Amino acid sequence: TLAEPFFLMEYAMSRLAFAAAAVLVLLLPPALGAQGPAPVVQANDNRTAGGHLAGGVLTLQLEIREARWYPENPVGASVVIPVFAEAGKAPQIPGPLIRVPAGTLVRATVRNTLADSTVTVHGLYARPTEAVDSLVLRPGDTASVAFRLDAPGTYHYSARSSRSDMETEQLAGAIVVDGPGVPANDRVFVINIWSFPVDSTRWRETLTINGKSWPYTERIHATVGDTVRWRVVNASGRNHPMHLHGFYYRVNARGDRVTDTLYTKDQQRLAVTEALRPGETMAMSWVPETPGNWLFHCHLSFHVIPEARLEPTGHGAHSGDAGEHMAGLVLGIQVHRPPGEPAAERGPARHLDVYVQEGPPPGRAPRAMSFLLGDAEGRPPAPGRVRIPGDMLVLTRDEPTDITVHNRLPEPTAIHWHGLELESWSDGVAGWSGEGARVAPPIPPGESFTARLTLKRAGTFIYHTHLNDIEQITSGLYGALLVLEPGEVYDPARDLVFVTGWDGMGHVVVNGGSTEPPLELLRGVPYRFRFINIGPAIRLRYRIEREGALVPWQRLAKDGADLPPHQALVGPATIVLDVGETFDAVFTPGEAGDYRLVVPGRTPEEPVYQRMLIVR
């Protein structure tokens, strides 16, 4: 399938990397094995701009040096790698922040101090620009550039080393051009990655935000009611769908190394997950409405699991310590309650029971797990029964709902209610969700946990495991969660849900398989299509076509939030969804005949998924 090569590479890395830890000093460059004289990298929190700004001119002296980087524990594993630094100052990851008012002239020099590598520097040019240029610096070379930054926005610069034995995505820094009247009380977060191939299937790597990997990333503090403004820069060569727990954020601008587009108020959209492709940037803002501990993280499972460390231990996946069962691209957020504010009151709640089950795996898949509801009389499902995806939960806006999760697995689990605005205790991150010293534990085998859900908006959401992510998600621990308006009744004949995940062999599955029986629709009748992508990786395109051509549909919602009227448009029936995103559209067949819902693969003859739609 489309996902299989990526899955096999990343899964092998995540499952086997810890087994190689004992021999890494033999396999990796000498820089990883022993301490040396190289200067130590400073994690750059991007609060202080580099260079000297005077009279509308920024003077900046950059160097590319070798330095020792401790991306995790400051006395733990390290690597000696090329990094950016200002002349006379400590080397930094990410590189020194270039932040200036619009209209500034930048005069910069770049010196390559590496003895064995040519470097190519990108991004040190004017904005706006019609000519994207680069600097090629051989060992010992110095180059000077001058350029104006007139276009407000978020950009970045980077360099590539000629060393072929490693990825050098740590050689990058942010460029921020401030426009007049734009609030400057924002934060800048840069994603950097360093990788080294151990062999043909395994990589050692570290994935960081502002130079640190979870749990050593900065803790972000806010108070209920604050307006939080961030700029996020994907300076890596990989895709990162960035997910915020507990709140929606407003996407205010999107850009890349060359351009940035500031959205007008009616162009801004709400999201809980926004995908940043390689080199892309985002400006976002959000208002924390509920106190407690929250997360902002990449939703690619391989970028947040314990094996995404320089020294994976191989035993953290089931830990109740959030510092053990996660690593990599994770920011911890602590939202504080205003002084004297009482806890919110909650009315009578509806109650549901969900059972976490394991049963016989299909085909060659190693395991099969699922979430199942009790029957109509409230009796639990038979032990060993599974259905993938798990049972769809249909809830009602503004109706408090308590869901007791009963763990019948032989291992701990934890359930995240993805996209819901809820209390932190119930958010589902073991060892982190909660407030103050009171944090939620994982759900041990044979025990249960009650999540107290508040349902502030109707829409399409997800519930899924948040522990031992790769194994439990690919085994089936995910499902759709629909929130309806009060008085609305779910009609499965006209409200169609398509949940995309992976099986344990790395195949993409939709509603548990690659095909489903033909679906009969009626001409002139509107049908709501709800799409969910909750695999551990891979963005996918969904489309409805007739005779190979796209048909029209009307866009409705993204991540459970209704699109504003000017975005809820009729257009071609196709959408690309990254991991952790949901999308709703209405398809009203205009003519009788055969249609096809398809997730394309490498060739038209090998789709990842397809289902015939027969319109009468």
Side-chain angles (χ1 to χ4, degrees), residues 229-248:
R229 298 180 177 89
W230 291 351
R231 299 173 187 260
V232 185
V233 177
N234 180 9
S236 80
R238 306 189 200 178
N239 192 49
H240 302 294
M242 301 306 295
H243 173 54
L244 179 64
H245 283 220
F247 312 102
Y248 281 84

mmCIF file with all atom_site columns, all heavy atoms in Angstrom, residues 229-248:
data_model
loop_
_atom_site.group_PDB
_atom_site.id
_atom_site.type_symbol
_atom_site.label_atom_id
_atom_site.label_alt_id
_atom_site.label_comp_id
_atom_site.label_asym_id
_atom_site.label_entity_id
_atom_site.label_seq_id
_atom_site.pdbx_PDB_ins_code
_atom_site.Cartn_x
_atom_site.Cartn_y
_atom_site.Cartn_z
_atom_site.occupancy
_atom_site.B_iso_or_equiv
_atom_site.pdbx_formal_charge
_atom_site.auth_seq_id
_atom_site.auth_comp_id
_atom_site.auth_asym_id
_atom_site.auth_atom_id
_atom_site.pdbx_PDB_model_num
ATOM 1   N N   . ARG A 1 229 ? -0.128  33.844 21.304 1.00 0.00 ? 229 ARG A N   1
ATOM 2   C CA  . ARG A 1 229 ? 0.251   33.974 19.893 1.00 0.00 ? 229 ARG A CA  1
ATOM 3   C C   . ARG A 1 229 ? 1.569   33.254 19.644 1.00 0.00 ? 229 ARG A C   1
ATOM 4   O O   . ARG A 1 229 ? 2.550   33.516 20.336 1.00 0.00 ? 229 ARG A O   1
ATOM 5   C CB  . ARG A 1 229 ? 0.382   35.450 19.501 1.00 0.00 ? 229 ARG A CB  1
ATOM 6   C CG  . ARG A 1 229 ? -0.907  36.247 19.624 1.00 0.00 ? 229 ARG A CG  1
ATOM 7   C CD  . ARG A 1 229 ? -0.706  37.699 19.233 1.00 0.00 ? 229 ARG A CD  1
ATOM 8   N NE  . ARG A 1 229 ? -1.949  38.456 19.291 1.00 0.00 ? 229 ARG A NE  1
ATOM 9   C CZ  . ARG A 1 229 ? -2.393  39.087 20.378 1.00 0.00 ? 229 ARG A CZ  1
ATOM 10  N NH1 . ARG A 1 229 ? -1.664  39.053 21.498 1.00 0.00 ? 229 ARG A NH1 1
ATOM 11  N NH2 . ARG A 1 229 ? -3.537  39.741 20.356 1.00 0.00 ? 229 ARG A NH2 1
ATOM 12  N N   . TRP A 1 230 ? 1.549   32.366 18.672 1.00 0.00 ? 230 TRP A N   1
ATOM 13  C CA  . TRP A 1 230 ? 2.751   31.598 18.337 1.00 0.00 ? 230 TRP A CA  1
ATOM 14  C C   . TRP A 1 230 ? 3.036   31.702 16.838 1.00 0.00 ? 230 TRP A C   1
ATOM 15  O O   . TRP A 1 230 ? 2.131   31.835 16.020 1.00 0.00 ? 230 TRP A O   1
ATOM 16  C CB  . TRP A 1 230 ? 2.571   30.116 18.674 1.00 0.00 ? 230 TRP A CB  1
ATOM 17  C CG  . TRP A 1 230 ? 2.507   29.782 20.127 1.00 0.00 ? 230 TRP A CG  1
ATOM 18  C CD1 . TRP A 1 230 ? 2.763   30.618 21.182 1.00 0.00 ? 230 TRP A CD1 1
ATOM 19  C CD2 . TRP A 1 230 ? 2.162   28.519 20.694 1.00 0.00 ? 230 TRP A CD2 1
ATOM 20  N NE1 . TRP A 1 230 ? 2.607   29.947 22.366 1.00 0.00 ? 230 TRP A NE1 1
ATOM 21  C CE2 . TRP A 1 230 ? 2.238   28.660 22.102 1.00 0.00 ? 230 TRP A CE2 1
ATOM 22  C CE3 . TRP A 1 230 ? 1.797   27.291 20.158 1.00 0.00 ? 230 TRP A CE3 1
ATOM 23  C CZ2 . TRP A 1 230 ? 1.954   27.612 22.975 1.00 0.00 ? 230 TRP A CZ2 1
ATOM 24  C CZ3 . TRP A 1 230 ? 1.517   26.235 21.016 1.00 0.00 ? 230 TRP A CZ3 1
ATOM 25  C CH2 . TRP A 1 230 ? 1.603   26.397 22.406 1.00 0.00 ? 230 TRP A CH2 1
ATOM 26  N N   . ARG A 1 231 ? 4.330   31.596 16.517 1.00 0.00 ? 231 ARG A N   1
ATOM 27  C CA  . ARG A 1 231 ? 4.778   31.341 15.146 1.00 0.00 ? 231 ARG A CA  1
ATOM 28  C C   . ARG A 1 231 ? 5.502   29.992 15.168 1.00 0.00 ? 231 ARG A C   1
ATOM 29  O O   . ARG A 1 231 ? 6.392   29.798 16.006 1.00 0.00 ? 231 ARG A O   1
ATOM 30  C CB  . ARG A 1 231 ? 5.719   32.434 14.660 1.00 0.00 ? 231 ARG A CB  1
ATOM 31  C CG  . ARG A 1 231 ? 5.096   33.834 14.621 1.00 0.00 ? 231 ARG A CG  1
ATOM 32  C CD  . ARG A 1 231 ? 6.159   34.874 14.298 1.00 0.00 ? 231 ARG A CD  1
ATOM 33  N NE  . ARG A 1 231 ? 5.669   36.232 14.414 1.00 0.00 ? 231 ARG A NE  1
ATOM 34  C CZ  . ARG A 1 231 ? 5.280   36.993 13.393 1.00 0.00 ? 231 ARG A CZ  1
ATOM 35  N NH1 . ARG A 1 231 ? 5.332   36.485 12.152 1.00 0.00 ? 231 ARG A NH1 1
ATOM 36  N NH2 . ARG A 1 231 ? 4.861   38.231 13.581 1.00 0.00 ? 231 ARG A NH2 1
ATOM 37  N N   . VAL A 1 232 ? 5.124   29.098 14.279 1.00 0.00 ? 232 VAL A N   1
ATOM 38  C CA  . VAL A 1 232 ? 5.710   27.765 14.233 1.00 0.00 ? 232 VAL A CA  1
ATOM 39  C C   . VAL A 1 232 ? 6.398   27.583 12.884 1.00 0.00 ? 232 VAL A C   1
ATOM 40  O O   . VAL A 1 232 ? 5.794   27.819 11.832 1.00 0.00 ? 232 VAL A O   1
ATOM 41  C CB  . VAL A 1 232 ? 4.643   26.670 14.445 1.00 0.00 ? 232 VAL A CB  1
ATOM 42  C CG1 . VAL A 1 232 ? 5.301   25.297 14.524 1.00 0.00 ? 232 VAL A CG1 1
ATOM 43  C CG2 . VAL A 1 232 ? 3.830   26.948 15.714 1.00 0.00 ? 232 VAL A CG2 1
ATOM 44  N N   . VAL A 1 233 ? 7.675   27.176 12.919 1.00 0.00 ? 233 VAL A N   1
ATOM 45  C CA  . VAL A 1 233 ? 8.488   27.032 11.717 1.00 0.00 ? 233 VAL A CA  1
ATOM 46  C C   . VAL A 1 233 ? 8.903   25.569 11.590 1.00 0.00 ? 233 VAL A C   1
ATOM 47  O O   . VAL A 1 233 ? 9.572   25.024 12.486 1.00 0.00 ? 233 VAL A O   1
ATOM 48  C CB  . VAL A 1 233 ? 9.748   27.920 11.787 1.00 0.00 ? 233 VAL A CB  1
ATOM 49  C CG1 . VAL A 1 233 ? 10.623  27.705 10.558 1.00 0.00 ? 233 VAL A CG1 1
ATOM 50  C CG2 . VAL A 1 233 ? 9.366   29.384 11.933 1.00 0.00 ? 233 VAL A CG2 1
ATOM 51  N N   . ASN A 1 234 ? 8.511   24.930 10.510 1.00 0.00 ? 234 ASN A N   1
ATOM 52  C CA  . ASN A 1 234 ? 8.978   23.575 10.234 1.00 0.00 ? 234 ASN A CA  1
ATOM 53  C C   . ASN A 1 234 ? 10.253  23.667 9.404  1.00 0.00 ? 234 ASN A C   1
ATOM 54  O O   . ASN A 1 234 ? 10.211  23.727 8.177  1.00 0.00 ? 234 ASN A O   1
ATOM 55  C CB  . ASN A 1 234 ? 7.919   22.770 9.499  1.00 0.00 ? 234 ASN A CB  1
ATOM 56  C CG  . ASN A 1 234 ? 8.396   21.349 9.200  1.00 0.00 ? 234 ASN A CG  1
ATOM 57  O OD1 . ASN A 1 234 ? 9.446   20.926 9.681  1.00 0.00 ? 234 ASN A OD1 1
ATOM 58  N ND2 . ASN A 1 234 ? 7.633   20.617 8.399  1.00 0.00 ? 234 ASN A ND2 1
ATOM 59  N N   . ALA A 1 235 ? 11.388  23.712 10.093 1.00 0.00 ? 235 ALA A N   1
ATOM 60  C CA  . ALA A 1 235 ? 12.680  23.799 9.404  1.00 0.00 ? 235 ALA A CA  1
ATOM 61  C C   . ALA A 1 235 ? 13.225  22.431 9.057  1.00 0.00 ? 235 ALA A C   1
ATOM 62  O O   . ALA A 1 235 ? 14.377  22.311 8.630  1.00 0.00 ? 235 ALA A O   1
ATOM 63  C CB  . ALA A 1 235 ? 13.678  24.563 10.278 1.00 0.00 ? 235 ALA A CB  1
ATOM 64  N N   . SER A 1 236 ? 12.414  21.389 9.224  1.00 0.00 ? 236 SER A N   1
ATOM 65  C CA  . SER A 1 236 ? 12.852  20.032 8.907  1.00 0.00 ? 236 SER A CA  1
ATOM 66  C C   . SER A 1 236 ? 12.373  19.642 7.519  1.00 0.00 ? 236 SER A C   1
ATOM 67  O O   . SER A 1 236 ? 11.584  20.349 6.892  1.00 0.00 ? 236 SER A O   1
ATOM 68  C CB  . SER A 1 236 ? 12.302  19.036 9.936  1.00 0.00 ? 236 SER A CB  1
ATOM 69  O OG  . SER A 1 236 ? 10.950  18.713 9.655  1.00 0.00 ? 236 SER A OG  1
ATOM 70  N N   . GLY A 1 237 ? 12.819  18.494 7.059  1.00 0.00 ? 237 GLY A N   1
ATOM 71  C CA  . GLY A 1 237 ? 12.409  17.980 5.765  1.00 0.00 ? 237 GLY A CA  1
ATOM 72  C C   . GLY A 1 237 ? 11.268  16.996 5.851  1.00 0.00 ? 237 GLY A C   1
ATOM 73  O O   . GLY A 1 237 ? 11.042  16.241 4.910  1.00 0.00 ? 237 GLY A O   1
ATOM 74  N N   . ARG A 1 238 ? 10.530  17.000 6.969  1.00 0.00 ? 238 ARG A N   1
ATOM 75  C CA  . ARG A 1 238 ? 9.431   16.053 7.150  1.00 0.00 ? 238 ARG A CA  1
ATOM 76  C C   . ARG A 1 238 ? 8.133   16.799 7.429  1.00 0.00 ? 238 ARG A C   1
ATOM 77  O O   . ARG A 1 238 ? 8.119   17.959 7.798  1.00 0.00 ? 238 ARG A O   1
ATOM 78  C CB  . ARG A 1 238 ? 9.731   15.094 8.304  1.00 0.00 ? 238 ARG A CB  1
ATOM 79  C CG  . ARG A 1 238 ? 11.070  14.392 8.153  1.00 0.00 ? 238 ARG A CG  1
ATOM 80  C CD  . ARG A 1 238 ? 11.243  13.316 9.173  1.00 0.00 ? 238 ARG A CD  1
ATOM 81  N NE  . ARG A 1 238 ? 12.658  12.983 9.347  1.00 0.00 ? 238 ARG A NE  1
ATOM 82  C CZ  . ARG A 1 238 ? 13.101  12.087 10.207 1.00 0.00 ? 238 ARG A CZ  1
ATOM 83  N NH1 . ARG A 1 238 ? 12.266  11.432 10.987 1.00 0.00 ? 238 ARG A NH1 1
ATOM 84  N NH2 . ARG A 1 238 ? 14.395  11.851 10.318 1.00 0.00 ? 238 ARG A NH2 1
ATOM 85  N N   . ASN A 1 239 ? 7.041   16.072 7.280  1.00 0.00 ? 239 ASN A N   1
ATOM 86  C CA  . ASN A 1 239 ? 5.721   16.611 7.514  1.00 0.00 ? 239 ASN A CA  1
ATOM 87  C C   . ASN A 1 239 ? 5.384   16.549 9.004  1.00 0.00 ? 239 ASN A C   1
ATOM 88  O O   . ASN A 1 239 ? 5.716   15.569 9.685  1.00 0.00 ? 239 ASN A O   1
ATOM 89  C CB  . ASN A 1 239 ? 4.712   15.785 6.717  1.00 0.00 ? 239 ASN A CB  1
ATOM 90  C CG  . ASN A 1 239 ? 3.359   16.426 6.653  1.00 0.00 ? 239 ASN A CG  1
ATOM 91  O OD1 . ASN A 1 239 ? 3.240   17.599 6.345  1.00 0.00 ? 239 ASN A OD1 1
ATOM 92  N ND2 . ASN A 1 239 ? 2.326   15.654 6.945  1.00 0.00 ? 239 ASN A ND2 1
ATOM 93  N N   . HIS A 1 240 ? 4.704   17.593 9.531  1.00 0.00 ? 240 HIS A N   1
ATOM 94  C CA  . HIS A 1 240 ? 4.340   17.599 10.948 1.00 0.00 ? 240 HIS A CA  1
ATOM 95  C C   . HIS A 1 240 ? 2.934   18.168 11.130 1.00 0.00 ? 240 HIS A C   1
ATOM 96  O O   . HIS A 1 240 ? 2.738   19.385 11.080 1.00 0.00 ? 240 HIS A O   1
ATOM 97  C CB  . HIS A 1 240 ? 5.331   18.434 11.768 1.00 0.00 ? 240 HIS A CB  1
ATOM 98  C CG  . HIS A 1 240 ? 6.744   17.968 11.663 1.00 0.00 ? 240 HIS A CG  1
ATOM 99  N ND1 . HIS A 1 240 ? 7.161   16.751 12.148 1.00 0.00 ? 240 HIS A ND1 1
ATOM 100 C CD2 . HIS A 1 240 ? 7.843   18.544 11.105 1.00 0.00 ? 240 HIS A CD2 1
ATOM 101 C CE1 . HIS A 1 240 ? 8.451   16.602 11.902 1.00 0.00 ? 240 HIS A CE1 1
ATOM 102 N NE2 . HIS A 1 240 ? 8.878   17.672 11.263 1.00 0.00 ? 240 HIS A NE2 1
ATOM 103 N N   . PRO A 1 241 ? 1.929   17.311 11.313 1.00 0.00 ? 241 PRO A N   1
ATOM 104 C CA  . PRO A 1 241 ? 0.595   17.807 11.676 1.00 0.00 ? 241 PRO A CA  1
ATOM 105 C C   . PRO A 1 241 ? 0.589   18.185 13.158 1.00 0.00 ? 241 PRO A C   1
ATOM 106 O O   . PRO A 1 241 ? 0.678   17.316 14.035 1.00 0.00 ? 241 PRO A O   1
ATOM 107 C CB  . PRO A 1 241 ? -0.319  16.617 11.393 1.00 0.00 ? 241 PRO A CB  1
ATOM 108 C CG  . PRO A 1 241 ? 0.567   15.411 11.453 1.00 0.00 ? 241 PRO A CG  1
ATOM 109 C CD  . PRO A 1 241 ? 1.948   15.854 11.084 1.00 0.00 ? 241 PRO A CD  1
ATOM 110 N N   . MET A 1 242 ? 0.475   19.471 13.454 1.00 0.00 ? 242 MET A N   1
ATOM 111 C CA  . MET A 1 242 ? 0.645   19.964 14.819 1.00 0.00 ? 242 MET A CA  1
ATOM 112 C C   . MET A 1 242 ? -0.717  20.076 15.508 1.00 0.00 ? 242 MET A C   1
ATOM 113 O O   . MET A 1 242 ? -1.601  20.818 15.072 1.00 0.00 ? 242 MET A O   1
ATOM 114 C CB  . MET A 1 242 ? 1.365   21.313 14.810 1.00 0.00 ? 242 MET A CB  1
ATOM 115 C CG  . MET A 1 242 ? 2.752   21.254 14.160 1.00 0.00 ? 242 MET A CG  1
ATOM 116 S SD  . MET A 1 242 ? 3.864   19.990 14.875 1.00 0.00 ? 242 MET A SD  1
ATOM 117 C CE  . MET A 1 242 ? 4.071   20.622 16.548 1.00 0.00 ? 242 MET A CE  1
ATOM 118 N N   . HIS A 1 243 ? -0.844  19.343 16.622 1.00 0.00 ? 243 HIS A N   1
ATOM 119 C CA  . HIS A 1 243 ? -2.135  19.158 17.305 1.00 0.00 ? 243 HIS A CA  1
ATOM 120 C C   . HIS A 1 243 ? -2.109  19.800 18.681 1.00 0.00 ? 243 HIS A C   1
ATOM 121 O O   . HIS A 1 243 ? -1.170  19.586 19.460 1.00 0.00 ? 243 HIS A O   1
ATOM 122 C CB  . HIS A 1 243 ? -2.417  17.656 17.438 1.00 0.00 ? 243 HIS A CB  1
ATOM 123 C CG  . HIS A 1 243 ? -3.619  17.334 18.262 1.00 0.00 ? 243 HIS A CG  1
ATOM 124 N ND1 . HIS A 1 243 ? -4.857  17.858 18.006 1.00 0.00 ? 243 HIS A ND1 1
ATOM 125 C CD2 . HIS A 1 243 ? -3.779  16.526 19.353 1.00 0.00 ? 243 HIS A CD2 1
ATOM 126 C CE1 . HIS A 1 243 ? -5.724  17.392 18.877 1.00 0.00 ? 243 HIS A CE1 1
ATOM 127 N NE2 . HIS A 1 243 ? -5.094  16.596 19.719 1.00 0.00 ? 243 HIS A NE2 1
ATOM 128 N N   . LEU A 1 244 ? -3.141  20.573 18.987 1.00 0.00 ? 244 LEU A N   1
ATOM 129 C CA  . LEU A 1 244 ? -3.302  21.197 20.299 1.00 0.00 ? 244 LEU A CA  1
ATOM 130 C C   . LEU A 1 244 ? -4.395  20.474 21.063 1.00 0.00 ? 244 LEU A C   1
ATOM 131 O O   . LEU A 1 244 ? -5.511  20.307 20.566 1.00 0.00 ? 244 LEU A O   1
ATOM 132 C CB  . LEU A 1 244 ? -3.667  22.682 20.143 1.00 0.00 ? 244 LEU A CB  1
ATOM 133 C CG  . LEU A 1 244 ? -3.894  23.478 21.427 1.00 0.00 ? 244 LEU A CG  1
ATOM 134 C CD1 . LEU A 1 244 ? -2.627  23.559 22.267 1.00 0.00 ? 244 LEU A CD1 1
ATOM 135 C CD2 . LEU A 1 244 ? -4.415  24.880 21.096 1.00 0.00 ? 244 LEU A CD2 1
ATOM 136 N N   . HIS A 1 245 ? -4.094  20.053 22.292 1.00 0.00 ? 245 HIS A N   1
ATOM 137 C CA  . HIS A 1 245 ? -5.086  19.400 23.137 1.00 0.00 ? 245 HIS A CA  1
ATOM 138 C C   . HIS A 1 245 ? -5.976  20.442 23.809 1.00 0.00 ? 245 HIS A C   1
ATOM 139 O O   . HIS A 1 245 ? -5.505  21.478 24.279 1.00 0.00 ? 245 HIS A O   1
ATOM 140 C CB  . HIS A 1 245 ? -4.398  18.583 24.226 1.00 0.00 ? 245 HIS A CB  1
ATOM 141 C CG  . HIS A 1 245 ? -3.828  17.286 23.760 1.00 0.00 ? 245 HIS A CG  1
ATOM 142 N ND1 . HIS A 1 245 ? -3.892  16.125 24.506 1.00 0.00 ? 245 HIS A ND1 1
ATOM 143 C CD2 . HIS A 1 245 ? -3.186  16.944 22.616 1.00 0.00 ? 245 HIS A CD2 1
ATOM 144 C CE1 . HIS A 1 245 ? -3.300  15.142 23.858 1.00 0.00 ? 245 HIS A CE1 1
ATOM 145 N NE2 . HIS A 1 245 ? -2.856  15.622 22.697 1.00 0.00 ? 245 HIS A NE2 1
ATOM 146 N N   . GLY A 1 246 ? -7.271  20.153 23.893 1.00 0.00 ? 246 GLY A N   1
ATOM 147 C CA  . GLY A 1 246 ? -8.184  20.892 24.746 1.00 0.00 ? 246 GLY A CA  1
ATOM 148 C C   . GLY A 1 246 ? -8.758  22.171 24.196 1.00 0.00 ? 246 GLY A C   1
ATOM 149 O O   . GLY A 1 246 ? -9.748  22.681 24.731 1.00 0.00 ? 246 GLY A O   1
ATOM 150 N N   . PHE A 1 247 ? -8.177  22.730 23.124 1.00 0.00 ? 247 PHE A N   1
ATOM 151 C CA  . PHE A 1 247 ? -8.609  24.024 22.614 1.00 0.00 ? 247 PHE A CA  1
ATOM 152 C C   . PHE A 1 247 ? -8.485  24.050 21.093 1.00 0.00 ? 247 PHE A C   1
ATOM 153 O O   . PHE A 1 247 ? -7.701  23.302 20.509 1.00 0.00 ? 247 PHE A O   1
ATOM 154 C CB  . PHE A 1 247 ? -7.748  25.168 23.180 1.00 0.00 ? 247 PHE A CB  1
ATOM 155 C CG  . PHE A 1 247 ? -7.556  25.105 24.666 1.00 0.00 ? 247 PHE A CG  1
ATOM 156 C CD1 . PHE A 1 247 ? -6.358  24.635 25.196 1.00 0.00 ? 247 PHE A CD1 1
ATOM 157 C CD2 . PHE A 1 247 ? -8.547  25.507 25.530 1.00 0.00 ? 247 PHE A CD2 1
ATOM 158 C CE1 . PHE A 1 247 ? -6.157  24.571 26.569 1.00 0.00 ? 247 PHE A CE1 1
ATOM 159 C CE2 . PHE A 1 247 ? -8.366  25.444 26.900 1.00 0.00 ? 247 PHE A CE2 1
ATOM 160 C CZ  . PHE A 1 247 ? -7.175  24.980 27.431 1.00 0.00 ? 247 PHE A CZ  1
ATOM 161 N N   . TYR A 1 248 ? -9.234  24.957 20.487 1.00 0.00 ? 248 TYR A N   1
ATOM 162 C CA  . TYR A 1 248 ? -9.014  25.284 19.082 1.00 0.00 ? 248 TYR A CA  1
ATOM 163 C C   . TYR A 1 248 ? -8.020  26.435 18.993 1.00 0.00 ? 248 TYR A C   1
ATOM 164 O O   . TYR A 1 248 ? -7.948  27.279 19.882 1.00 0.00 ? 248 TYR A O   1
ATOM 165 C CB  . TYR A 1 248 ? -10.319 25.711 18.412 1.00 0.00 ? 248 TYR A CB  1
ATOM 166 C CG  . TYR A 1 248 ? -11.199 24.544 18.037 1.00 0.00 ? 248 TYR A CG  1
ATOM 167 C CD1 . TYR A 1 248 ? -12.056 23.977 18.975 1.00 0.00 ? 248 TYR A CD1 1
ATOM 168 C CD2 . TYR A 1 248 ? -11.160 24.001 16.765 1.00 0.00 ? 248 TYR A CD2 1
ATOM 169 C CE1 . TYR A 1 248 ? -12.860 22.902 18.649 1.00 0.00 ? 248 TYR A CE1 1
ATOM 170 C CE2 . TYR A 1 248 ? -11.965 22.920 16.419 1.00 0.00 ? 248 TYR A CE2 1
ATOM 171 C CZ  . TYR A 1 248 ? -12.815 22.375 17.369 1.00 0.00 ? 248 TYR A CZ  1
ATOM 172 O OH  . TYR A 1 248 ? -13.595 21.302 17.037 1.00 0.00 ? 248 TYR A OH  1
#
